[in-house]
Amino acid sequence: MNDEITDVAGDGKAPAVERTGASPEAIISHYDQGEDFFKLVLGPELIYSCALFESDDDLAEAQRRKLDYHIEAANAANAKRVLDVGCGWGAMLRRLVDHAEVPHVVGLTLSPSQANWIRRQPRPGLEVVEQDWRDHKPTQRYDAIISVGAFEHFVQKGLDPVKKLDAYREFFNFCDRMLVAEGKVSLQTIAFSEPHEGHPLLEKTFPDSDLPLIWEPIAAAEGKFVLTTLRNDRDHYYRTLRVWEQNLMAHYAEAIELVGESTVADFRRYLRISATGFRLGIVSLLRMSFQKKDVNSRPPVSASER
C-alpha cells in the first residue's frame, strides 16, 4: 500500500473548523517556567502526566510503565514512523527510539523550551517540531499516533458544546489522514466525570484550556475509529500528584529560588486541588486506544461531515 499523503487536507472542499484551544502563548506561560524547576517535581525525565503504578513502584518505574503501555496500545514497537502529539520534554520519543526500536519518531509541541530540551538530547531518527497538530503536513503516513496530556488543551473554557465536539472530531479526522490503514491511536487525557465548572486556579494554571467529558473523545472518534481499550486510572493520577507534591516540598527552598515564592505556592495548591478532584471522582484519567476503521466498513458521509 502507498503510504504517501497526497492530500493532507481531505477533499479540500469541507469548511474549515474554527481553531480552538490553547495558544502558543498560553502553553508557554506554563510549560516554559524552566526545566530546573520542573525536574525538582517531576524527576529527571520530565514526564508531566499520570504514571501507571503497580504495587510499590517508585515514580520513575511507574512512568516508564506508562510509556510502554501507550507504545503497546498503539502497536508502535518496531513501527517505521510514529507521531507524538504534545510530546512534552520528549520522554516518549526517547523511549520509542531507545527501547521500541522505531527508526523515525516525530514530536509536536508548542513550547520552545521543551523543543530545545529535546534537541539537546539528540537521537538518530528523532525529530521535534514546534507546531500545532493542525499545521502538521508530513509527506508520509504514520504507523501509530500517541498523545498523552495534550487533548486537555484542544478547546477553551466556555466553548459551545457543538463547537467543542467539532474540535475533537477535527483531531480524529487529522489522525485518520495521518495514519496508515488500520493504524492505532493511543490517547491519554484528564476528563470531567460529569459537567463541572472547574476551579479558578486550574484555569489560571492552564489558560485557554478545558477538559472533555468522558464520552466526548469516544463520540468524536465515531465513524473513523473503533475504540479498542478504555481504562479510568484516576487513582493513579491521585498517587502521581501526591508524589509530585512530596518532591516539591523536599526541594521547597530551591524551588522558591528558581521561580519565586508565589509561583511555588500556587503550584502546590494546583497539585493539591487536582489530587482532590481525582480522589473525589470529579475528574477521571482516561487511557484510550482507537484503531482506524477500514474504509470499506465506513458508512457514507456527506461533504459537510468530511
Side-chain angles (χ1 to χ4, degrees):
M1 177 180 175
N2 186 356
D3 290 339
E4 293 184 359
I5 302 179
T6 56
D7 183 7
V8 296
D11 66 4
K13 298 179 181 179
V17 178
E18 179 183 348
R19 184 158 293 195
T20 61
S23 65
E25 293 76 18
I27 294 295
I28 289 168
S29 72
H30 181 75
Y31 292 97
D32 284 30
Q33 293 186 59
E35 286 79 22
D36 289 341
F37 168 72
F38 280 112
K39 280 168 70 175
L40 297 179
V41 180
L42 309 177
E45 280 295 299
L46 291 167
I47 302 176
Y48 199 6
S49 54
C50 177
L52 181 59
F53 290 93
E54 280 189 9
S55 171
D56 57 351
D57 278 349
D58 64 19
L59 181 62
E61 291 169 329
Q63 290 290 19
R64 284 192 293 271
R65 179 172 289 104
K66 184 267 300 294
L67 299 178
D68 291 341
Y69 171 86
H70 285 290
I71 290 170
E72 182 178 357
N75 198 25
N78 300 304
K80 294 179 182 177
R81 290 169 52 81
V82 178
L83 176 67
D84 183 355
V85 178
C87 64
W89 286 277
M92 180 68 76
L93 300 175
R94 293 187 291 274
R95 191 73 175 173
L96 285 162
V97 171
D98 295 345
H99 296 275
E101 300 183 358
V102 179
H104 189 192
V105 298
V106 177
L108 304 181
T109 178
L110 295 179
S111 165
S113 176
Q114 290 179 337
N116 289 331
W117 173 267
I118 294 168
R119 293 183 184 117
R120 292 197 295 270
Q121 302 179 68
R123 304 286 198 283
L126 191 161
E127 178 184 359
V128 60
V129 186
E130 294 167 53
Q131 187 179 57
D132 191 300
W133 55 266
R134 285 162 285 209
D135 298 320
H136 187 56
K137 297 176 181 176
T139 57
Q140 286 187 293
R141 299 184 193 276
Y142 294 97
D143 299 290
I145 295 174
I146 297 172
S147 184
V148 177
F151 204 83
E152 298 92 331
H153 300 302
F154 290 174
V155 303
Q156 65 270 28
K157 194 78 174 174
L159 193 67
D160 176 84
V162 174
K163 290 184 177 180
K164 184 183 182 189
L165 194 57
D166 283 344
Y168 295 148
R169 285 197 182 103
E170 185 183 9
F171 173 71
F172 283 103
N173 288 341
F174 163 82
C175 293
D176 179 52
R177 295 194 305 271
M178 295 297 105
L179 281 171
V180 299
E182 299 184 352
K184 288 187 173 183
V185 178
S186 190
L187 175 69
Q188 178 170 308
T189 183
I190 304 168
F192 282 124
S193 304
E194 56 187 31
H196 196 275
E197 285 299 311
H199 192 282
L201 180 60
L202 302 183
E203 295 177 29
K204 176 184 175 183
T205 305
F206 294 106
D208 296 348
S209 301
D210 195 14
L211 301 180
L213 292 164
I214 284 178
W215 61 269
E216 287 176 321
I218 302 170
E222 186 177 353
K224 298 291 180 68
F225 288 87
V226 176
L227 178 69
T228 55
T229 62
L230 169 62
R231 53 186 292 168
N232 181 356
D233 286 331
R234 67 183 179 89
D235 54 329
H236 291 253
Y237 219 152
Y238 174 78
R239 184 171 172 182
T240 301
L241 287 157
R242 293 306 304 272
V243 175
W244 286 348
E245 185 186 1
Q246 291 166 11
N247 290 345
L248 178 64
M249 298 311 295
H251 300 92
Y252 199 73
E254 187 176 352
I256 289 174
E257 187 175 341
L258 287 169
V259 298
E261 188 170 2
S262 63
T263 298
V264 172
D266 279 350
F267 195 79
R268 187 188 183 195
R269 286 185 64 221
Y270 145 69
L271 294 175
R272 294 174 70 87
I273 291 167
S274 299
T276 298
F278 285 106
R279 181 174 59 83
L280 297 178
I282 297 169
V283 284
S284 299
L285 189 281
L286 306 182
R287 304 192 217 259
M288 323 171 77
S289 55
F290 301 86
Q291 183 165 25
K292 183 175 175 176
K293 280 189 173 182
D294 188 312
V295 292
N296 296 319
S297 68
R298 299 180 185 180
V301 295
S302 65
S304 63
E305 294 174 315
R306 292 172 188 159

Coordinates of all heavy atoms in Angstrom, one line a residue, residues 26-88:
A26 N -0.3 30.7 25.6 CA -0.8 30.1 26.8 C 0.0 28.9 27.2 O 0.2 28.7 28.4 CB -2.3 29.7 26.5
I27 N 0.4 28.1 26.3 CA 1.3 26.9 26.6 C 2.6 27.4 27.2 O 3.0 26.8 28.2 CB 1.5 26.1 25.3 CG1 0.2 25.5 24.8 CG2 2.5 25.0 25.6 CD1 -0.5 24.5 25.7
I28 N 3.2 28.4 26.6 CA 4.5 28.9 27.1 C 4.4 29.4 28.5 O 5.3 29.2 29.3 CB 5.0 29.9 26.1 CG1 5.5 29.3 24.8 CG2 6.2 30.7 26.7 CD1 5.7 30.3 23.7
S29 N 3.2 30.1 28.8 CA 3.1 30.7 30.1 C 3.2 29.6 31.2 O 3.6 30.0 32.4 CB 1.7 31.4 30.2 OG 0.7 30.4 30.3
H30 N 2.9 28.4 31.0 CA 3.0 27.4 32.0 C 4.3 26.5 31.8 O 5.0 26.3 32.8 CB 1.8 26.5 32.0 CG 1.8 25.4 33.1 ND1 1.6 25.7 34.4 CD2 2.1 24.1 33.0 CE1 1.7 24.6 35.1 NE2 2.0 23.6 34.3
Y31 N 4.5 26.0 30.6 CA 5.5 24.9 30.4 C 6.9 25.5 30.3 O 7.9 24.8 30.5 CB 5.2 24.1 29.2 CG 3.9 23.2 29.4 CD1 2.7 23.6 28.9 CD2 4.0 22.0 30.0 CE1 1.6 22.9 29.0 CE2 2.9 21.2 30.2 CZ 1.7 21.7 29.7 OH 0.6 20.9 29.9
D32 N 7.0 26.8 30.1 CA 8.4 27.4 29.9 C 8.9 28.1 31.2 O 9.6 29.0 31.2 CB 8.4 28.4 28.8 CG 8.4 27.7 27.4 OD1 7.8 26.6 27.3 OD2 9.0 28.2 26.5
Q33 N 8.4 27.6 32.4 CA 8.9 28.1 33.6 C 10.4 27.6 33.9 O 11.0 28.2 34.8 CB 8.0 27.6 34.8 CG 6.7 28.3 34.7 CD 5.8 27.9 36.0 OE1 6.2 28.2 37.1 NE2 4.7 27.2 35.8
G34 N 10.8 26.7 33.2 CA 12.2 26.2 33.3 C 12.3 24.8 33.7 O 11.7 24.3 34.6
E35 N 13.2 24.0 33.0 CA 13.4 22.6 33.3 C 13.9 22.4 34.7 O 13.6 21.3 35.3 CB 14.3 22.0 32.3 CG 13.7 21.8 30.9 CD 13.7 23.0 30.1 OE1 14.5 23.9 30.4 OE2 12.8 23.1 29.2
D36 N 14.7 23.3 35.2 CA 15.3 23.1 36.6 C 14.2 23.0 37.6 O 14.3 22.2 38.5 CB 16.3 24.2 36.9 CG 17.6 24.1 36.1 OD1 17.9 23.0 35.5 OD2 18.3 25.1 36.0
F37 N 13.2 23.9 37.5 CA 12.1 23.8 38.4 C 11.3 22.5 38.2 O 11.0 21.8 39.2 CB 11.2 25.0 38.2 CG 9.9 24.9 39.0 CD1 9.8 25.0 40.3 CD2 8.7 24.6 38.3 CE1 8.6 24.9 41.0 CE2 7.5 24.5 38.9 CZ 7.4 24.6 40.3
F38 N 10.9 22.2 37.0 CA 10.1 21.0 36.8 C 10.8 19.7 37.1 O 10.2 18.8 37.6 CB 9.6 21.0 35.3 CG 8.4 21.9 35.1 CD1 8.6 23.0 34.3 CD2 7.2 21.6 35.6 CE1 7.5 23.8 34.0 CE2 6.1 22.4 35.4 CZ 6.2 23.6 34.6
K39 N 12.1 19.7 37.0 CA 12.9 18.5 37.4 C 12.8 18.2 38.9 O 12.8 17.1 39.3 CB 14.3 18.6 36.9 CG 14.6 18.3 35.5 CD 16.0 18.8 35.0 CE 17.0 17.9 35.6 NZ 18.4 18.2 35.1
L40 N 12.7 19.3 39.7 CA 12.5 19.1 41.1 C 11.3 18.3 41.4 O 11.2 17.5 42.4 CB 12.5 20.4 41.8 CG 13.7 21.3 41.7 CD1 13.5 22.6 42.5 CD2 15.0 20.6 42.3
V41 N 10.2 18.6 40.7 CA 8.9 18.0 40.9 C 8.7 16.7 40.2 O 8.3 15.7 40.7 CB 7.8 19.0 40.5 CG1 6.4 18.4 40.8 CG2 8.0 20.3 41.2
L42 N 9.0 16.7 38.9 CA 8.7 15.6 38.0 C 9.8 14.5 38.0 O 9.4 13.3 37.6 CB 8.5 16.1 36.6 CG 7.5 17.2 36.4 CD1 7.4 17.7 35.0 CD2 6.1 16.9 37.0
G43 N 11.0 14.8 38.2 CA 12.1 13.9 38.1 C 12.9 14.2 36.8 O 12.5 15.0 36.0
P44 N 14.0 13.5 36.6 CA 15.0 13.9 35.6 C 14.4 13.7 34.1 O 14.9 14.4 33.2 CB 16.2 13.0 35.8 CG 15.6 11.8 36.6 CD 14.5 12.4 37.5
E45 N 13.4 12.8 34.0 CA 12.9 12.6 32.6 C 11.8 13.6 32.2 O 11.4 13.6 31.1 CB 12.3 11.2 32.5 CG 13.4 10.1 32.2 CD 14.1 10.3 30.9 OE1 13.4 10.2 29.8 OE2 15.3 10.5 30.9
L46 N 11.4 14.4 33.2 CA 10.4 15.5 33.0 C 9.2 14.9 32.3 O 8.7 15.4 31.3 CB 11.1 16.6 32.1 CG 12.1 17.4 32.8 CD1 12.9 18.2 31.7 CD2 11.5 18.3 33.8
I47 N 8.6 14.0 32.9 CA 7.3 13.4 32.4 C 6.2 14.0 33.2 O 5.9 13.7 34.4 CB 7.3 11.9 32.6 CG1 8.5 11.3 31.8 CG2 6.0 11.3 32.0 CD1 8.6 9.8 32.0
Y48 N 5.4 14.9 32.6 CA 4.4 15.7 33.2 C 3.0 15.2 32.9 O 2.1 15.9 32.4 CB 4.5 17.1 32.7 CG 3.9 18.2 33.6 CD1 3.3 17.9 34.8 CD2 3.9 19.5 33.1 CE1 2.8 18.9 35.6 CE2 3.3 20.6 33.9 CZ 2.8 20.3 35.1 OH 2.2 21.3 35.9
S49 N 2.8 13.9 33.3 CA 1.5 13.3 33.1 C 1.4 12.1 34.0 O 2.4 11.7 34.6 CB 1.3 12.8 31.6 OG 2.4 12.0 31.2
C50 N 0.2 11.5 34.1 CA -0.1 10.5 35.1 C 0.7 9.2 34.8 O 0.8 8.7 33.7 CB -1.6 10.1 35.0 SG -2.1 8.8 36.1
A51 N 1.3 8.7 35.9 CA 2.1 7.5 35.8 C 1.1 6.3 35.8 O -0.1 6.4 36.0 CB 3.1 7.4 36.9
L52 N 1.7 5.1 35.7 CA 0.9 3.8 35.7 C 1.6 2.9 36.7 O 2.7 2.3 36.5 CB 0.9 3.2 34.3 CG 0.1 1.9 34.2 CD1 -1.4 2.1 34.6 CD2 0.2 1.4 32.8
F53 N 1.0 2.9 37.9 CA 1.7 2.2 39.1 C 1.3 0.7 39.1 O 0.2 0.3 38.8 CB 1.3 2.9 40.4 CG 1.9 4.2 40.6 CD1 1.2 5.4 40.2 CD2 3.1 4.4 41.1 CE1 1.7 6.6 40.4 CE2 3.7 5.6 41.3 CZ 2.9 6.8 40.9
E54 N 2.2 0.0 39.6 CA 2.0 -1.4 40.1 C 2.7 -1.6 41.4 O 3.8 -1.2 41.6 CB 2.5 -2.4 39.1 CG 1.6 -2.7 37.9 CD 2.1 -3.9 37.1 OE1 3.0 -4.6 37.5 OE2 1.5 -4.0 35.9
S55 N 1.9 -2.1 42.4 CA 2.5 -2.4 43.7 C 3.2 -1.2 44.3 O 2.7 -0.1 44.4 CB 3.4 -3.7 43.5 OG 4.1 -4.0 44.6
D56 N 4.5 -1.5 44.6 CA 5.3 -0.5 45.3 C 6.2 0.3 44.4 O 7.3 0.7 44.8 CB 6.1 -1.1 46.5 CG 7.0 -2.2 46.0 OD1 6.9 -2.6 44.8 OD2 7.8 -2.7 46.8
D57 N 5.8 0.4 43.1 CA 6.6 1.2 42.2 C 7.1 2.6 42.7 O 6.3 3.2 43.4 CB 5.8 1.5 40.9 CG 5.8 0.3 39.9 OD1 6.6 -0.6 40.1 OD2 5.0 0.4 39.0
D58 N 8.3 3.0 42.4 CA 8.6 4.4 42.6 C 8.1 5.2 41.3 O 7.6 4.5 40.4 CB 10.0 4.6 42.9 CG 11.0 4.2 41.7 OD1 10.5 4.1 40.6 OD2 12.2 4.0 42.0
L59 N 8.2 6.5 41.4 CA 7.6 7.3 40.3 C 8.3 7.0 39.0 O 7.6 6.8 37.9 CB 7.7 8.8 40.6 CG 7.2 9.7 39.6 CD1 5.7 9.5 39.4 CD2 7.5 11.2 39.9
A60 N 9.6 6.8 38.9 CA 10.3 6.6 37.7 C 9.9 5.3 37.0 O 9.7 5.2 35.8 CB 11.8 6.6 37.9
E61 N 9.7 4.2 37.9 CA 9.3 2.9 37.3 C 7.9 3.0 36.8 O 7.5 2.5 35.7 CB 9.3 1.9 38.4 CG 10.7 1.5 38.9 CD 10.7 0.6 40.1 OE1 9.9 0.8 41.0 OE2 11.7 -0.2 40.3
A62 N 7.0 3.7 37.5 CA 5.6 3.9 37.1 C 5.5 4.7 35.8 O 4.6 4.4 34.9 CB 4.8 4.5 38.2
Q63 N 6.4 5.7 35.6 CA 6.3 6.5 34.4 C 6.8 5.7 33.2 O 6.3 5.8 32.1 CB 7.2 7.8 34.6 CG 6.5 8.8 35.5 CD 5.3 9.4 35.0 OE1 4.6 8.9 34.1 NE2 4.9 10.6 35.5
R64 N 7.9 4.9 33.4 CA 8.3 4.0 32.3 C 7.2 3.0 31.9 O 7.0 2.7 30.7 CB 9.6 3.3 32.7 CG 10.9 4.1 32.7 CD 12.1 3.3 32.8 NE 12.2 2.6 34.1 CZ 12.8 3.2 35.2 NH1 13.3 4.4 35.1 NH2 12.9 2.5 36.3
R65 N 6.5 2.5 32.9 CA 5.4 1.6 32.6 C 4.3 2.3 31.8 O 3.7 1.7 30.9 CB 4.8 1.0 33.9 CG 3.7 0.0 33.7 CD 3.2 -0.7 34.9 NE 4.2 -1.6 35.4 CZ 5.0 -1.5 36.4 NH1 5.0 -0.4 37.1 NH2 5.9 -2.4 36.7
K66 N 4.1 3.5 32.1 CA 3.1 4.3 31.4 C 3.5 4.5 29.9 O 2.7 4.3 29.0 CB 2.9 5.7 32.0 CG 1.8 6.6 31.4 CD 2.4 7.5 30.4 CE 3.4 8.4 30.9 NZ 2.9 9.4 31.9
L67 N 4.8 4.8 29.7 CA 5.3 5.0 28.3 C 5.1 3.7 27.5 O 4.6 3.7 26.4 CB 6.8 5.4 28.3 CG 7.1 6.7 29.0 CD1 8.6 7.0 29.0 CD2 6.4 7.9 28.4
D68 N 5.5 2.6 28.2 CA 5.4 1.3 27.5 C 4.0 0.9 27.2 O 3.7 0.2 26.2 CB 6.2 0.2 28.3 CG 7.7 0.4 28.3 OD1 8.2 1.1 27.4 OD2 8.3 -0.1 29.2
Y69 N 3.1 1.2 28.1 CA 1.7 0.9 28.0 C 1.2 1.6 26.7 O 0.5 0.9 25.8 CB 0.9 1.4 29.1 CG -0.6 1.3 28.9 CD1 -1.3 0.1 29.2 CD2 -1.4 2.4 28.4 CE1 -2.7 0.0 29.0 CE2 -2.7 2.3 28.1 CZ -3.4 1.1 28.4 OH -4.7 1.0 28.2
H70 N 1.5 2.8 26.5 CA 1.0 3.5 25.3 C 1.7 3.0 24.0 O 1.0 2.9 22.9 CB 1.2 5.0 25.4 CG 0.2 5.7 26.3 ND1 -1.1 5.8 26.0 CD2 0.4 6.2 27.6 CE1 -1.8 6.4 27.0 NE2 -0.9 6.6 28.0
I71 N 2.9 2.7 24.1 CA 3.6 2.1 22.9 C 3.0 0.8 22.5 O 2.7 0.5 21.3 CB 5.1 1.9 23.3 CG1 5.8 3.3 23.4 CG2 5.8 1.0 22.2 CD1 7.2 3.2 23.9
E72 N 2.6 -0.1 23.5 CA 1.9 -1.3 23.2 C 0.5 -1.1 22.7 O 0.1 -1.7 21.7 CB 1.9 -2.2 24.4 CG 1.2 -3.6 24.1 CD 1.2 -4.5 25.4 OE1 1.8 -4.1 26.4 OE2 0.7 -5.6 25.3
A73 N -0.2 -0.1 23.3 CA -1.6 0.1 22.9 C -1.7 0.7 21.5 O -2.6 0.4 20.8 CB -2.2 1.1 23.9
A74 N -0.6 1.4 21.1 CA -0.6 2.0 19.7 C 0.0 1.1 18.7 O 0.1 1.4 17.5 CB 0.1 3.3 19.7
N75 N 0.5 -0.1 19.2 CA 1.2 -1.1 18.3 C 2.4 -0.4 17.7 O 2.6 -0.5 16.5 CB 0.2 -1.6 17.2 CG 0.8 -2.9 16.6 OD1 1.6 -3.6 17.2 ND2 0.4 -3.2 15.4
A76 N 3.1 0.4 18.5 CA 4.2 1.3 18.0 C 5.6 0.6 18.0 O 6.5 1.1 17.3 CB 4.2 2.6 18.7
A77 N 5.7 -0.5 18.7 CA 7.0 -1.1 18.8 C 7.4 -1.6 17.4 O 6.6 -2.3 16.8 CB 7.0 -2.2 19.8
N78 N 8.6 -1.3 17.0 CA 9.2 -1.7 15.7 C 8.4 -1.1 14.5 O 8.7 -1.6 13.4 CB 9.2 -3.3 15.6 CG 10.0 -3.9 16.7 OD1 11.2 -3.6 16.8 ND2 9.4 -4.8 17.4
A79 N 7.6 -0.1 14.8 CA 6.9 0.6 13.7 C 8.0 1.4 12.9 O 9.0 1.7 13.5 CB 5.8 1.4 14.2
K80 N 7.6 1.8 11.7 CA 8.6 2.6 10.9 C 8.5 4.1 11.3 O 9.5 4.8 11.4 CB 8.3 2.5 9.4 CG 8.5 1.1 8.9 CD 8.2 1.1 7.4 CE 8.4 -0.3 6.8 NZ 8.0 -0.4 5.4
R81 N 7.3 4.6 11.5 CA 7.1 6.0 11.8 C 6.0 6.2 12.9 O 4.9 5.6 12.7 CB 6.7 6.8 10.5 CG 7.7 6.9 9.5 CD 7.2 7.4 8.1 NE 6.4 8.6 8.3 CZ 6.9 9.9 8.3 NH1 8.2 10.0 8.3 NH2 6.1 10.9 8.4
V82 N 6.3 7.0 13.9 CA 5.4 7.2 15.0 C 5.3 8.7 15.3 O 6.4 9.4 15.3 CB 5.8 6.5 16.3 CG1 4.8 6.8 17.4 CG2 5.8 5.0 16.0
L83 N 4.1 9.2 15.5 CA 3.9 10.6 15.8 C 3.5 10.8 17.2 O 2.6 10.1 17.7 CB 2.8 11.2 14.9 CG 2.4 12.7 15.1 CD1 3.6 13.6 14.8 CD2 1.2 13.1 14.3
D84 N 4.1 11.7 18.0 CA 3.7 12.0 19.3 C 3.1 13.5 19.3 O 3.9 14.4 19.1 CB 4.9 11.9 20.3 CG 4.6 12.2 21.7 OD1 3.4 12.5 22.0 OD2 5.5 12.0 22.6
V85 N 1.8 13.6 19.6 CA 1.2 14.9 19.6 C 1.2 15.4 21.0 O 0.5 14.9 21.9 CB -0.3 14.8 19.0 CG1 -1.0 16.1 19.1 CG2 -0.3 14.2 17.6
G86 N 1.9 16.5 21.2 CA 2.1 17.1 22.5 C 3.1 16.3 23.3 O 2.9 15.7 24.3
C87 N 4.3 16.4 22.7 CA 5.4 15.5 23.2 C 6.1 15.9 24.5 O 7.0 15.1 24.9 CB 6.4 15.3 22.1 SG 7.3 16.8 21.6
G88 N 5.7 17.0 25.0 CA 6.4 17.4 26.3 C 7.9 17.6 26.1 O 8.4 18.1 25.1

